[in-house]
Amino acid sequence: MAERWIMHVDMDAFYAAVEQRDRPELRGKPVIIGGLSQRGVVSTASYEARKFGVRSAMPINEALRRCPQGIFVVPNHAHYVKVSRQIQEIFHDFSPAIEMLSVDEAFMDVSGMEKLYRSVAQIPWLLKERIRKETGLIASAGLAPNKFVAKIASDLGKPDGLLIVQPKEVLSFLAPLPLERIWGVGKKTAEILHELGFSTIGDIQKASYEELHKYFDSLADRLYYLSRGEDDRLVEPDLVRKSLGKETTYSEDLMDPIEAERELLRLSQEVGWRLRREGSSGSTVTLKVRYAPFVTISRSHTFASPISLDEEIFEEVRSLFCKLDRKKDIRLLGVTVGNLEENSGQRSLFQEDEAVMKRTETLDHLKLKFGEGIISRGGVITPKNAPEE
Ligand code: TTP
Ligand code: MG
């Protein structure tokens, strides 16, 4: 098989770097980008501020305590999106296969491109130079045979990083790294692995497939292959995404419509949260219901303008649900918001309703701080049989 070369590119301290570029008085200073209110959280911090322990998602108050001399700046998302587009334009000159992961981060498949350059190693260097010249910003890049290794390589080099991992170096590159670097290894799995005596990726490399399968189910494959730096996932160029949805299959059918509504609220909250995180909203809401055994139906409603608030999504989904036969047992529920468009700020059908916007903003901040699962409106109780995600 032909050699694959995947590049991961991620801008350094993106929002803070844009502000420092645009306002020379901020250069070299501890800049902290965060919401307006004292109850807000930090979006990001310049590397000067990180020396004081300021990090993304930290409450502003905590950042203030750690870095009282910090310069706090309110984020200007619309502006960052514009800069992001400019960077994406540059990416397109280097590869046709670009997968944007967020506003400042992308995978690019540059396999075979070495024919256009003196060597493949020139590509990240030239890309960084073009970004620096044309935007005045610094990117970190990692080049490796696959996504997993490329992402770690760009992370490890930060700031102003450029790390190339040759195929024959993959095993030794990964070996000393903490096993938490493996995708899908959360806190719980890491704890179990530590108890079993594993601490680095190298420790897992030494384990046999059978041994890992003794302790883990589906995760064993991931541990086995990723620890060896084997990852065949393709770079998936972004077709403009048309919808964002979430569905759950229940191991025991839902028999109670109230319980089903609670689930719909949970799914609406998750979809709303993801929409708001990526700054998009959509005008079509779709409810999907699968009844036991295998009858699936979808019902949609399209609004005149796009929405992204949990309440708006949930109210529509509930009203679609109420029109269905509520006596049947339910095996799967799904909520999707479609006809997506990017927007720079929050839009709302309840534009006048400041309270809804405020509450959403506060909850989003808490989610950023404590993780997505921690809170939801109206005390939604996840049914006992809801599968772990
Ligand atoms: P990141 O790439 O995670 O962070 P960064 O670019 O600020 O710093 P670095 O990559 O050098 O570690 O995120 C990109 C931008 O996304 C970031 O500048 C601000 C925003 N962001 C938030 O608003 N909240 C968050 O919790 C995170 C992680 C990022
Ligand atoms: Mg970044």
Side-chain angles (χ1 to χ4, degrees):
M1 205 171 89
E3 213 167 56
R4 271 203 327 150
W5 281 108
I6 308 297
M7 183 157 68
H8 180 262
V9 186
D10 187 313
M11 304 301 294
D12 293 344
F14 185 50
Y15 292 4
V18 172
E19 296 298 339
Q20 286 180 318
R21 175 194 72 175
D22 297 347
R23 296 166 57 185
E25 74 276 15
L26 298 181
R27 293 181 197 162
K29 302 263 165 63
V31 173
I32 296 162
I33 310 290
L36 260 178
S37 75
Q38 291 245 319
R39 288 176 310 152
V41 290
V42 173
S43 293
T44 192
S46 69
Y47 277 79
E48 292 86 351
R50 291 184 198 192
K51 286 190 201 133
F52 297 90
V54 180
R55 297 281 179 269
S56 289
M58 174 181 280
I60 292 281
N61 278 339
E62 171 76 7
L64 196 60
R65 200 180 57 70
R66 291 185 184 219
C67 185
Q69 64 275 59
I71 304 169
F72 290 76
V73 177
V74 176
N76 179 352
H77 295 285
H79 184 46
Y80 310 139
V81 168
K82 270 194 210 139
V83 180
S84 169
R85 294 227 174 90
Q86 204 187 343
I87 294 162
Q88 287 178 49
E89 287 296 311
I90 302 175
F91 289 168
H92 281 283
D93 288 345
F94 285 82
S95 166
I98 298 158
E99 180 180 338
M100 287 304 289
L101 298 173
S102 77
V103 74
D104 82 327
E105 187 185 353
F107 280 120
M108 303 163 69
D109 190 333
V110 295
S111 314
M113 299 277 173
E114 59 271 25
K115 294 179 193 103
L116 304 174
Y117 303 87
R118 258 185 314 187
S119 81
V120 77
Q122 261 206 317
I123 303 174
W125 187 83
L126 285 171
L127 176 70
K128 277 165 59 79
E129 271 311 291
R130 276 211 43 205
I131 293 176
R132 193 194 312 262
K133 280 204 188 99
E134 291 176 32
T135 70
L137 299 168
I138 308 228
S140 288
L143 182 66
N146 59 55
K147 282 182 162 181
F148 175 61
V149 181
K151 163 107 173 135
I152 295 180
S154 85
D155 254 22
L156 286 185
K158 268 181 179 295
D160 200 6
L162 199 179
L163 241 164
I164 298 167
V165 184
Q166 299 286 342
K168 60 179 185 309
E169 299 166 346
V170 165
L171 277 175
S172 56
F173 169 75
L174 293 174
L177 301 176
L179 54 83
E180 284 79 0
R181 286 264 176 193
I182 299 177
W183 285 348
V185 172
K187 243 184 160 172
K188 258 198 223 151
T189 313
E191 263 171 37
I192 298 171
L193 283 165
H194 286 299
E195 273 167 30
L196 292 168
F198 298 102
S199 74
T200 62
I201 296 184
D203 295 337
I204 300 179
Q205 287 172 357
K206 287 180 214 137
S208 69
Y209 188 76
E210 289 70 30
E211 187 181 351
L212 293 170
H213 257 282
K214 235 181 5 208
Y215 302 112
F216 299 98
D217 199 19
S218 55
L219 198 65
D221 273 28
R222 192 186 302 219
L223 290 171
Y224 184 83
Y225 290 108
L226 289 185
S227 69
R228 285 159 178 76
E230 291 174 30
D231 172 19
D232 55 10
R233 280 169 308 162
L234 300 174
V235 171
E236 293 176 30
D238 317 292
L239 312 163
V240 181
R241 195 142 51 85
K242 297 264 176 12
S243 66
L244 196 158
K246 173 84 195 160
E247 58 182 45
T248 300
T249 306
Y250 301 97
S251 49
E252 286 169 35
D253 295 342
L254 300 181
M255 292 184 290
D256 176 4
I258 303 291
E259 194 180 10
E261 281 194 20
R262 283 203 199 116
E263 273 298 281
L264 290 174
L265 175 56
R266 181 180 71 84
L267 294 166
S268 303
Q269 286 170 331
E270 195 159 328
V271 171
W273 161 241
R274 283 167 57 194
L275 284 171
R276 295 190 300 279
R277 276 219 74 177
E278 64 179 49
S280 54
S281 53
S283 51
T284 301
V285 172
T286 303
L287 163 73
K288 178 172 161 188
V289 183
R290 177 170 302 147
Y291 296 109
F294 258 111
V295 183
T296 308
I297 54 167
S298 296
R299 293 288 180 271
S300 295
H301 175 83
T302 298
F303 294 102
S305 56
I307 61 169
S308 67
L309 294 180
D310 304 346
E311 272 87 349
E312 296 167 329
I313 301 167
F314 176 59
E315 291 311 330
E316 187 49 47
V317 164
R318 181 161 61 178
S319 111
L320 293 169
F321 182 66
C322 286
K323 291 178 196 145
L324 301 176
D325 182 351
R326 290 156 61 91
K327 288 196 203 89
K328 287 193 195 161
D329 299 352
I330 291 170
R331 180 148 299 174
L332 171 149
L333 285 172
V335 172
T336 300
V337 173
N339 274 326
L340 295 189
E341 54 184 69
E342 277 184 14
N343 56 268
S344 44
Q346 195 102 276
R347 284 201 221 170
S348 165
L349 289 179
F350 312 146
Q351 202 71 277
E352 315 71 16
D353 193 345
E354 281 272 315
V356 175
M357 302 284 281
K358 270 252 136 50
R359 186 169 63 228
T360 303
E361 202 180 303
T362 310
L363 287 176
D364 285 353
H365 283 155
L366 287 169
K367 282 178 188 165
L368 264 179
K369 184 176 167 196
F370 295 112
E372 205 176 330
I374 199 81
I375 36 164
S376 47
R377 193 197 71 151
V380 175
I381 301 155
T382 308
K384 283 186 271 324
N385 67 350
E388 268 196 47
E389 282 146 24

